[in-house]
Amino acid sequence: MSKIVIIGNSGAARECYWLLREVLESAPGLAQDSSFAGFLDWKGYAGDLKELQHFYLGTADAHVIHSDELFIIGVGNPELRRDIFMTFKSRGASFMNLIHPWTSISQSAIIGEGNILQRGSTVLCNANIGNGNYLNGFSTISHDAEIGDFNFFAPYSIVLGSAKIGNGNHLGPYSVILEHARMGDGNLLAPGGALYKGCKDNCRMAGNPALKIGIVADK
């Protein structure tokens, strides 16, 4: 039996827990072969597990990875998602794709490892999604779109056909990447922003059409 561990111990981690519950309840076969083991904090973050505090296992740094464990990245921040994924993969960990039963994924789409697709997300034909992305409620990835790693898509964000997104970007609620647009790495697109042609790296973009209003400072 696989033991599922969520790395993270705050709001996003709690969302992943309840999403996992819905996944297991909708798939009896999976539920027979899998069980939830608990939460790990990342780098000692105090967190806020509320009523789920009794599932707290300790810090990720001290956790010994076992072959029967599957991990979920229960953190929204793209940079932290990347750090968690890379650190645990180097230690031999395996990540599951956590996909809500009320999603629609084309059979021709390609999806990597450690992604989260919340309720109502849609991935259309021949889209290609990398590792460690977080699609929040009702996000849409359209045909032939290419998505890199560790991006965060807020509710109702849309990536249209043949658009290409790099790594570690944050798309705000109701934002749109238009057809064939190109987005680099580490960008932030404000809520309701519409990216027509594209942007390079570490840009803060806002408006319709989205214009650069600043830079994303190095952490």
Side-chain angles (χ1 to χ4, degrees):
M1 173 176 284
S2 297
K3 297 178 181 178
I4 301 173
V5 179
I6 296 175
I7 305 172
N9 62 334
S10 197
R14 283 185 275 115
E15 287 187 5
C16 289
Y17 169 80
W18 292 110
L19 171 55
L20 176 62
R21 284 279 301 268
E22 291 188 69
V23 169
L24 295 178
E25 289 169 2
S26 70
L30 178 62
Q32 290 178 357
D33 296 330
S34 306
S35 64
F36 177 64
F39 299 91
L40 297 170
D41 73 56
W42 181 247
K43 302 299 183 183
Y45 182 66
D48 182 16
L49 288 174
K50 299 188 184 299
E51 75 280 3
L52 303 177
Q53 184 62 39
H54 61 286
F55 287 122
Y56 176 65
L57 298 175
T59 184
D61 290 337
H63 184 75
V64 177
I65 297 172
H66 298 282
S67 60
D68 61 348
E69 290 179 323
L70 287 173
F71 293 90
I72 294 169
I73 308 175
V75 175
N77 180 280
E79 183 176 358
L80 294 181
R81 293 182 64 78
R82 179 196 64 205
D83 291 347
I84 292 168
F85 185 90
M86 299 303 292
T87 299
F88 267 65
K89 288 299 288 185
S90 71
R91 293 165 56 187
S94 296
F95 288 87
M96 70 178 291
N97 286 321
L98 183 58
I99 301 173
H100 194 279
W102 293 359
T103 59
S104 176
I105 302 175
S106 171
Q107 293 184 2
S108 63
I110 298 172
I111 299 179
E113 183 180 357
N115 297 287
I116 296 170
L117 280 71
Q118 274 280 13
R119 179 192 300 265
S121 296
T122 302
V123 181
L124 297 175
C125 59
N126 302 108
N128 192 328
I129 297 175
N131 301 316
N133 296 285
Y134 195 124
L135 277 68
N136 218 321
F138 303 96
S139 299
T140 298
I141 308 298
S142 297
H143 68 87
D144 301 299
E146 296 184 29
I147 309 299
D149 303 326
F150 317 118
N151 298 286
F152 180 84
F153 300 85
Y156 297 97
S157 54
I158 300 173
V159 180
L160 293 179
S162 300
K164 186 174 182 179
I165 295 177
N167 307 311
N169 298 289
H170 185 125
L171 276 64
Y174 293 96
S175 59
V176 181
I177 308 293
L178 293 177
E179 297 93 334
H180 302 283
R182 297 290 183 265
M183 173 179 276
D185 301 333
N187 299 288
L188 191 155
L189 180 58
L195 191 69
Y196 280 64
K197 292 186 177 180
C199 61
K200 295 182 179 179
D201 300 335
N202 304 314
C203 299
R204 291 182 179 271
M205 307 292 293
N208 183 0
L211 301 175
K212 183 178 178 179
I213 61 171
I215 61 172
V216 178
D218 293 335
K219 303 293 189 298

